[in-house]
Amino acid sequence: MTNHALLLINLGSPASPEKEAVRRYLNQFLMDPYVIDVPWPLRRLIVSLVLIKRPEQSAHAYASIWWDEGSPLVELTRRLQAQVAPRWSHGPVEIAMRYGEPSIDSVLRSLAQRGMKTVTLAPLYPQFADSTITTAVERAQQVVKEDSLGLELKLLPPFYDQPAYIDALVASAQPWLEHDFDHLLLSFHGLPESHIKKLLPKGSRHDLRAEDCCRNASAQERAVCYRGQCIHTARAFAHRMGLPEGKWSVSFQSRLGKNKWIEPYTEPVLDALAAKGVKRLLVMCPAFVADCIETLEEIGIRGAEQFREAGGEELVLVPCLNDNPQWADTLTGLCERLARQA
């Protein structure tokens, strides 16, 4: 046992599907300035209005996918931890959630108390966004500094374009794609366009409405363009699977509010595919590495109902990477690169 820990960080979940637990979770999540990026007074007003009805609606959604063990997202992240732990020889492997429990704060404090000197942070998001990666990393840096924990933090960068990650996606999805299907939809989590635009270099002419927005982008633009990174993942996956153009497409789900979000939106795409005669639709959600409310409920339940009502026959949700052994190998290998660096 050495003193270099690995911390797997995911988004988080309410403690239970009860209304008040969901309210507490949503308040913490939505009050993050990286999630709703407006000044605090306006953010507080917006969130207070959202919290009038949203907790009850979300509680019903969480209840529909809740496991006996608890939150699917947290439980699947724990299962991944169990897979990675024997593969990581430098120290303990722990998990933390940006919102909810176990918190980044409490886990980092525990690791420091156990004598850890270095912690590799592994945000479990293939593509970069401030609202996922930046907020988690800054929270970790803040608690290390404020509590004088003396921990050196290393960071796993986004891995959306890593061949080993694409290979793991292919291996996990292969059993579902071996059966007959009419179309594969790769539905990524959405993001307000403003979240990307504010990170682009001054004077950038980057067009987020273009079908392939990063085709002629600079390295600096590609590094902050969540939409382009999602499209890269989808194209690399389709190429490795040998899927022809027209057999697959990309969309973005989980919009909140009335701001302009990256397109195309998943809901109208489901209707359009059914209208074109697609009967058996497969849906993958490669922005997530663990199944959660956005995959199990939003796509697996509501999306499936919408697709059938629009004239389709069957929507099959392809599971996320979850605790797939090849994914555990890949994740560990990516983190090992950091461990070998001085």
Side-chain angles (χ1 to χ4, degrees):
M1 182 73 69
T2 65
N3 56 10
H4 184 163
L6 175 57
L7 183 56
L8 310 181
I9 303 176
N10 219 326
L11 189 75
S13 171
S16 78
E18 301 301 320
K19 179 179 175 180
E20 288 310 309
V22 173
R23 182 189 302 278
R24 288 192 297 272
Y25 172 78
L26 289 176
N27 184 69
Q28 183 188 13
F29 171 53
L30 296 175
M31 282 304 295
D32 186 337
Y34 283 116
V35 174
I36 299 181
D37 57 345
V38 297
W40 189 92
L42 179 56
R43 185 164 69 253
R44 182 67 269 174
L45 174 61
I46 292 171
V47 175
S48 296
L49 292 173
V50 170
L51 292 180
I52 294 173
K53 295 183 178 180
R54 187 78 178 205
E56 185 172 358
Q57 298 168 348
S58 294
H60 177 76
Y62 276 109
S64 71
I65 55 98
W66 208 257
W67 291 355
D68 291 341
E69 302 95 322
S71 159
L73 172 68
V74 176
E75 174 60 23
L76 286 166
T77 308
R78 291 195 189 281
R79 294 180 188 180
L80 176 62
Q81 173 193 13
Q83 287 279 352
V84 172
R87 293 167 164 83
W88 179 259
S89 60
H90 308 284
V93 177
E94 300 292 347
I95 70 167
M97 302 292 150
R98 176 61 184 89
Y99 316 104
E101 299 294 337
S103 69
I104 292 173
D105 303 39
S106 63
V107 176
L108 286 175
R109 289 171 187 142
S110 173
L111 289 172
Q113 291 170 358
R114 291 157 63 184
M116 295 300 112
K117 300 300 182 186
T118 305
V119 179
T120 287
L121 305 176
L124 297 177
Y125 312 106
Q127 300 85 19
F128 171 81
D130 270 347
S131 55
T132 52
I133 293 177
T134 302
T135 184
V137 173
E138 287 196 359
R139 184 63 217 165
Q141 292 171 335
Q142 184 178 359
V143 70
V144 167
K145 180 179 180 180
E146 290 181 352
D147 290 16
S148 301
L149 298 182
L151 294 171
E152 176 191 1
L153 299 179
K154 293 177 177 285
L155 175 63
L156 174 68
F159 44 88
Y160 70 96
D161 59 348
Q162 293 297 308
Y165 161 67
I166 302 300
D167 288 345
L169 270 183
V170 168
S172 69
Q174 187 98 41
W176 279 264
L177 273 72
E178 286 176 349
H179 301 284
D180 288 337
F181 66 95
D182 297 324
H183 193 84
L184 170 67
L185 179 64
L186 296 106
S187 179
F188 293 82
H189 198 287
L191 197 69
E193 286 189 353
S194 61
H195 283 209
I196 301 173
K197 288 180 177 178
K198 70 180 181 181
L199 299 176
L200 292 170
K202 187 175 182 179
S204 172
R205 303 178 70 178
H206 196 67
D207 183 5
L208 287 172
R209 311 290 174 87
E211 184 175 352
D212 190 353
C213 56
C214 282
R215 183 181 297 275
N216 299 312
S218 67
Q220 188 176 359
E221 289 169 330
R222 288 195 299 272
V224 298
C225 185
Y226 170 82
R227 184 177 185 273
Q229 293 180 11
C230 291
I231 292 170
H232 181 103
T233 297
R235 287 191 180 281
F237 175 85
H239 177 74
R240 282 280 285 104
M241 288 298 306
L243 298 176
E245 293 290 335
K247 187 76 170 179
W248 62 276
S249 55
V250 171
S251 65
F252 298 91
Q253 63 182 86
S254 308
R255 282 178 292 159
L256 177 65
K258 298 181 179 180
N259 291 345
K260 182 64 178 177
W261 285 50
I262 54 177
E263 295 186 20
Y265 301 143
T266 294
E267 290 181 350
V269 167
L270 291 176
D271 289 341
L273 288 171
K276 287 170 57 178
V278 171
K279 296 302 182 183
R280 189 169 193 269
L281 175 66
L282 300 187
V283 182
M284 289 178 63
C285 301
F288 307 94
V289 300
D291 278 305
C292 52
I293 191 169
E294 287 87 354
T295 65
L296 299 172
E297 192 275 337
E298 185 178 353
I299 299 298
I301 297 177
R302 281 189 288 133
E305 290 176 356
Q306 177 189 338
F307 182 66
R308 289 193 298 269
E309 290 173 358
E313 293 180 358
E314 183 182 22
L315 183 154
V316 177
L317 176 65
V318 178
C320 291
L321 289 165
N322 295 329
D323 58 344
N324 179 281
Q326 185 168 337
W327 162 230
D329 284 337
T330 296
L331 178 60
T332 308
L334 292 172
C335 294
E336 281 284 355
R337 296 182 190 176
L338 296 175
R340 291 193 294 267
Q341 296 174 4

